[in-house]
Amino acid sequence: MKPHPHAGSGLLVALVMLVIMSLGAISLVRAVSTGRMVAANLALRQAAVLASDTATEAAIEWLKPLVTTAYLYADQPDKGYYANVPNGLDITGLDATESTVTIDWESDGCKGSSATTCVKASPVLDADVAGNVMRYTIHRLCRAAGSPQSSANSCLIFSNNLTANSNSKRGQLSYGASSRFTLSAAVYYRITVRTRGPRNTTVFTQTLIHF
């Protein structure tokens, strides 16, 4: 009995379909793996962003008792503090060809950077439970060191010159009547935090504050 002339074609089609389905399954597995990796990276980044708040708070606590003193008129590099913002500052510490000043986040003398000036960051803060390690720098938003009241200096200043009306009548509830707002001026400070976490996750955050 002679074989049917199309008997082998069905097997060939089945094999081709099997190969196509196998390739589709492999692609699906890879897509799922890539999606999980992206989701994990996003989670690590979000954790690093949240952890940077700890360093920001540490910088604020360091500044608080010093803002009314002349101590902040000069750079304090061992604390990661600088009395002015230099031109051409690269906060990432990476190779930026147009930058002249960069931050030494790794304590390696800004190795690999083309910047002409390398400045210190704060000491390394204790890592959190997720393994995020944080450091910060503080820049006073002035053109030069020295007193912000100096005619030779120029600083970004926050002013509050609100005056509360203290006139209140008997039996009348007056919100804020007991407050006295007088003319005051405060210099802005910029806190830059670098957080390094698992899988070399690196996040930079900046916060402007005044007291």
Side-chain angles (χ1 to χ4, degrees):
M1 184 177 179
K2 293 183 178 180
H4 193 279
H6 300 293
S9 60
L11 179 60
L12 180 60
V13 171
L15 290 175
V16 171
M17 292 300 297
L18 180 61
V19 171
I20 293 174
M21 292 176 64
S22 299
L23 292 175
I26 293 172
S27 299
L28 180 60
V29 170
R30 288 183 176 179
V32 171
S33 298
T34 302
R36 291 179 61 184
M37 184 179 297
V38 170
N41 289 340
L42 289 174
L44 291 174
R45 178 178 176 80
Q46 183 64 24
V49 171
L50 294 175
S52 66
D53 288 345
T54 302
T56 301
E57 291 294 334
I60 292 173
E61 289 301 315
W62 181 82
L63 279 172
K64 272 183 180 179
L66 302 172
V67 292
T68 58
T69 70
Y71 183 78
L72 299 182
Y73 291 0
D75 293 346
Q76 308 297 335
D78 289 337
K79 304 295 185 180
Y81 171 81
Y82 299 91
N84 70 305
V85 180
N87 293 326
L89 174 64
D90 169 34
I91 67 166
T92 66
L94 302 176
D95 186 11
T97 57
E98 297 182 358
S99 298
T100 57
V101 182
T102 193
I103 301 171
D104 188 10
W105 297 111
E106 299 292 345
S107 299
D108 60 359
C110 300
K111 183 179 179 180
S113 174
S114 62
T116 56
T117 303
C118 179
V119 298
K120 293 181 179 180
S122 70
V124 179
L125 302 182
D126 293 337
D128 65 7
V129 293
N132 292 298
V133 177
M134 297 141 287
R135 303 182 76 173
Y136 64 81
T137 59
I138 305 172
H139 287 89
R140 188 179 65 160
L141 298 190
C142 295
R143 293 188 181 275
S147 172
Q149 284 77 37
S150 171
S151 59
N153 205 350
S154 177
C155 299
L156 183 61
I157 299 291
F158 170 83
S159 295
N160 182 1
N161 57 2
L162 297 177
T163 302
N165 183 4
S166 60
N167 296 327
S168 59
K169 298 179 179 179
R170 186 174 181 179
Q172 177 183 353
L173 185 61
S174 178
Y175 292 98
S178 61
S179 300
R180 297 289 191 276
F181 295 100
T182 57
L183 180 63
S184 62
V187 179
Y188 276 97
Y189 299 87
R190 186 179 71 194
I191 301 171
T192 302
V193 176
R194 192 202 74 163
T195 304
R196 175 67 62 84
R199 298 186 185 178
N200 289 325
T201 302
T202 304
V203 170
F204 292 91
T205 61
Q206 290 188 313
T207 306
L208 287 180
I209 64 167
H210 65 82
F211 294 89

